[in-house]
């Protein structure tokens, strides 16, 4: 039985569209990944950090996840340092052709992945042509199978040498990033139609430079501000490089977006929500106004702001990482983004950690209703990519979270399509037929 948010009284939705609107013709359905999280055998600053910190991360996991209802189930694995080492990941680097067949079997026609900068440029200024050829074959394979590639140029990981120079915290380092973007665009750009320059600059800045969870584990407000602004500049310059190669390539970013609701009318709640929206949600997108062809939305969280200015999210339903789930709220978010930016929207990530596949179908159903509602209100939504295709390495939580439509047994690397994914594949087919009948 599908779970429902039990605190429905919180769910004061202002704007709702008709939920029977068909998806537009050509709407892209797909899934998302990132290189470090699935490929295996990478050598970036993340790999170095994992090895140096794996023995400490069990304490962090206990601190962050220890109160969850599923902690009993997690605690054995959470205590072992190997859980926090990506290692062979799910060997997608070698098994990508089989993984693409799964995408096809699920009736999907879009796939988001990232190019691993540390593979392309393992030493400053030295290009690894084998790695470049790998991605060329990878992208061409996708296209030959009728799957539209969404190429992400940077998804959190840095070459070690770049991290040693200070990473994105130094303005003068941006030129290293643009040198990489220029090279990879010159080599592979002819095969691109969608590019995401940077992924979730907001999450990266907050977790790496304010909250000390990710490398370089800083708590430095000024450095955080510099990183965030430098990522804006990095995006703008990358946009110009890719567009100079081919104006037809659609370029944007993927930004982490939440739905925010006031639980109290007290000024502290309003102020906290304003600060969150201004700095975490909108600043980056606002800075992109002239340099984005679409908005890439990553949506996981709905936040309630209480009188003390803190999140007071209902405890249930929650995913395996304890994140409160209100997937239907995506409708409000899409309407807001549409009204603010007036650009085509692609959902570039959306999903949940759900190892027992208990909530995933419900999440997808609710999300589809929300997307239809937004379409009914005139939102120019053009695609949906679920996070994630495969169970993968969830950063500082390592192998503790399973976001995949497809389960991976890491001992054998065997892929098993989860029941919710099978359902989703059928639903995609049905929705496409519905659009055809409606002549959309
Ligand atoms: C990131 C992914 C991550 C996912 C789930 C997004 O913040 O882009 O890399 O795995 O959320 O936490």
């Amino acid at each position: 039985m599908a779970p429902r948010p039990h605190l429905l009284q919180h769910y004061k939705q202002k704007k709702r569209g008709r939920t029977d609107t068909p998806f537009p013709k050509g709407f892209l359905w797909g899934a998302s990944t990132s290189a470090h999280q699935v490929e295996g055998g990478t050598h970036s600053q993340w790999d170095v950090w994992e090895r140096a910190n794996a023995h400490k991360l069990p304490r962090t996991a206990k601190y962050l996840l220890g109160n969850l209802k599923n902690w009993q189930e997690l605690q054995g694995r959470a205590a072992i340092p190997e859980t926090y080492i990506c290692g062979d990941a799910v060997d997608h680097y070698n098994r990508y052709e089989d993984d693409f067949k799964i995408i096809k079997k699920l009736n999907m026609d879009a796939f988001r992945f990232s190019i691993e900068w540390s593979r392309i440029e393992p030493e400053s200024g030295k290009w690894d042509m084998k790695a470049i050829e790998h991605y060329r074959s990878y992208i061409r394979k996708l296209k030959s199978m009728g799957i539209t590639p969404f190429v992400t140029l940077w998804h959190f990981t840095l070459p070690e040498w770049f991290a040693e120079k200070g990473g994105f915290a130094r303005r003068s380092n941006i030129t290293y990033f643009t040198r990489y973007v220029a090279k990879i665009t010159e080599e592979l750009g002819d095969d691109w139609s969608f590019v995401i320059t940077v992924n979730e600059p907001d999450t990266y800045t907050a977790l790496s430079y304010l909250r000390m969870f990710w490398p370089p584990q800083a708590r430095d407000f000024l450095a955080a501000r510099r990183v965030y602004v430098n990522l804006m500049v990095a995006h703008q310059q990358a946009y110009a490089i890719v567009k100079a190669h081919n104006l037809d390539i659609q370029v944007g970013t993927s930004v982490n977006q939440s739905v925010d609701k006031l639980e109290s009318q007290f000024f502290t709640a309003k102020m906290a929500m304003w600060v969150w929206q201004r700095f975490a949600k909108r600043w980056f997108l606002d800075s992109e106004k002239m340099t984005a062809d679409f908005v890439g939305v990553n949506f996981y969280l709905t936040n309630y702001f209480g009188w003390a200015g803190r999140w007071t999210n209902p405890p249930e339903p929650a995913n395996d990482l304890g994140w409160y789930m209100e997937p239907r709220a995506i409708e409000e978010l899409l309407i807001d983004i549409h009204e603010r930016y007036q650009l085509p929207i692609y959902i570039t990530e959306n999903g949940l950690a759900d190892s027992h596949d208990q909530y995933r179908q419900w999440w997808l159903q609710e999300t589809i209703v929300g997307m239809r509602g937004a379409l009914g209100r005139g939102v120019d939504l053009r695609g949906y990519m679920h996070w994630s295709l495969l169970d993968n390495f969830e950063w500082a939580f390592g192998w503790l979270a399973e976001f995949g439509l497809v389960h991976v047994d890491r001992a054998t690397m065997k892929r098993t399509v989860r029941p919710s994914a099978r359902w989703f594949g059928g639903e995609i087919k049905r929705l496409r037929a519905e659009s055809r009948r409606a002549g959309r």
Side-chain angles (χ1 to χ4, degrees):
M1 178 57 202
R4 300 276 148 201
H6 77 274
L7 287 178
L8 270 178
Q9 69 270 28
H10 287 285
Y11 194 71
K12 293 187 206 130
Q13 193 150 10
K14 295 172 288 201
K15 310 161 176 174
R16 277 208 164 161
R18 296 176 57 136
T19 53
D20 57 356
T21 313
F23 284 84
K25 207 165 145 248
F27 189 90
L28 294 169
W29 292 98
S32 240
T33 55
S34 90
H36 182 70
Q37 294 178 271
V38 293
E39 284 185 348
T42 51
H43 297 283
S44 69
Q45 111 283 18
W46 256 94
D47 297 277
V48 175
W49 181 81
E50 283 159 23
R51 284 193 295 275
N53 286 275
H55 66 288
K56 291 190 208 145
L57 289 168
R59 259 180 287 142
T60 317
K62 186 161 185 213
Y63 165 70
L64 292 171
L65 307 177
N67 290 329
L68 298 184
K69 57 179 191 285
N70 53 332
W71 176 245
Q72 285 244 317
E73 196 182 321
L74 292 181
Q75 62 180 345
R77 271 182 299 146
I80 307 171
E82 288 74 51
T83 297
Y84 307 94
I85 295 190
C86 186
D88 291 337
V90 291
D91 198 27
H92 176 70
Y93 199 75
N94 298 310
R95 294 167 195 254
Y96 69 86
E97 293 196 23
D98 289 342
D99 292 338
F100 295 170
K101 286 186 194 145
I102 301 178
I103 299 178
K104 279 305 273 186
K105 225 168 76 190
L106 295 177
N107 297 319
M108 295 175 171
D109 56 1
F111 183 56
R112 176 176 173 229
F113 61 91
S114 69
I115 293 180
E116 179 59 38
W117 178 10
S118 62
R119 283 192 195 277
I120 304 293
E121 196 179 0
E123 286 174 51
S124 179
K126 294 214 172 116
W127 308 111
D128 183 332
M129 288 315 292
K130 253 177 82 184
I132 292 176
E133 287 315 315
H134 167 88
Y135 287 110
R136 194 190 311 282
S137 314
Y138 184 99
I139 294 170
R140 290 200 172 155
K141 186 76 205 164
L142 279 171
K143 289 175 70 172
S144 73
M145 294 172 78
I147 304 168
T148 301
F150 275 68
V151 184
T152 308
L153 302 181
W154 178 75
H155 196 124
F156 299 156
T157 50
L158 308 173
E160 249 187 288
W161 58 264
F162 181 77
E164 276 159 17
K165 288 181 193 291
F168 285 108
R170 294 188 59 185
R171 175 62 66 103
S172 55
N173 286 349
I174 296 175
T175 108
Y176 298 114
F177 177 69
T178 50
R179 182 176 67 182
Y180 149 70
V181 174
K183 175 71 179 169
I184 203 75
T185 306
E186 175 197 317
E187 292 284 350
L188 306 180
D190 289 351
D191 281 314
W192 294 345
S193 39
F194 290 96
V195 167
I196 289 155
T197 55
V198 299
N199 176 69
E200 293 196 8
D202 40 275
T203 309
Y204 174 73
T205 306
L207 298 188
S208 296
Y209 288 88
L210 289 174
R211 304 192 60 199
M212 300 174 74
F213 291 140
W214 291 0
Q217 291 189 289
R219 194 189 294 283
D220 178 342
F221 185 78
L222 292 177
R225 192 181 178 285
R226 279 201 309 275
V227 168
Y228 204 48
V229 171
N230 287 344
L231 284 168
M232 289 174 191
V233 177
H235 159 72
Q236 287 157 6
Q237 296 188 0
Y239 179 91
I241 294 169
V242 178
K243 295 301 269 190
H245 182 81
N246 179 353
L247 266 183
D248 291 339
I249 302 175
Q250 298 300 290
V251 186
T253 57
S254 285
V255 178
N256 189 25
Q257 292 289 321
S258 53
V259 171
D260 307 309
K261 302 184 183 207
L262 282 175
E263 200 179 42
S264 149
Q265 291 304 317
F266 212 58
F267 82 100
T268 39
K270 289 187 181 164
M271 211 164 74
M273 189 165 116
W274 183 86
V275 170
W276 167 257
Q277 293 195 325
R278 171 78 188 85
F279 295 104
K281 282 179 62 175
R282 295 187 180 145
W283 193 10
F284 208 91
L285 286 178
D286 288 351
S287 79
E288 282 177 33
K289 276 205 178 109
M290 307 300 288
T291 52
D293 304 319
F294 63 87
V295 180
V297 172
N298 293 358
F299 173 65
Y300 296 91
L301 302 173
T302 302
N303 302 319
Y304 289 87
F305 288 82
W307 66 269
R310 303 179 67 113
W311 289 349
T312 53
N313 293 350
E316 292 285 347
N319 76 15
D320 291 352
L321 291 175
W323 303 355
Y324 167 63
M325 299 186 287
E326 203 173 295
R328 172 79 164 79
I330 197 167
E331 179 177 346
E332 277 177 72
L333 175 65
L334 293 171
I335 293 170
D336 281 344
I337 292 179
H338 171 73
E339 285 172 356
R340 282 184 78 81
Y341 302 105
Q342 299 286 321
L343 283 172
I345 301 174
Y346 291 89
I347 296 165
T348 46
E349 282 184 35
N350 171 262
L352 62 161
D354 182 18
S355 62
H356 296 298
D357 206 32
Q358 193 187 348
Y359 294 113
R360 201 170 276 105
Q361 182 175 329
W362 162 76
W363 173 283
L364 286 161
Q365 281 166 330
E366 293 280 297
T367 303
I368 290 169
V369 174
M371 291 195 286
R372 278 178 184 272
L375 287 164
R377 295 274 308 233
V379 172
D380 186 4
L381 176 64
R382 300 193 183 179
Y384 172 86
M385 279 161 278
H386 191 81
W387 185 272
S388 181
L389 178 68
L390 305 163
D391 283 344
N392 59 42
F393 184 77
E394 180 54 25
W395 307 111
F397 289 127
W399 297 102
L400 291 177
E402 298 184 12
F403 276 88
L405 289 166
V406 178
H407 170 69
V408 183
D409 174 346
R410 288 192 65 244
T412 58
M413 294 294 178
K414 186 173 178 310
R415 273 72 168 144
T416 309
V417 174
R418 290 197 156 102
S420 59
R422 248 181 277 127
W423 173 85
F424 188 38
E427 186 65 4
I428 293 173
K429 200 167 165 192
R430 200 183 67 72
L431 291 169
R432 278 205 196 105
E434 185 190 273
S435 310
R436 272 198 303 275
R437 276 197 306 276
R440 286 202 70 182

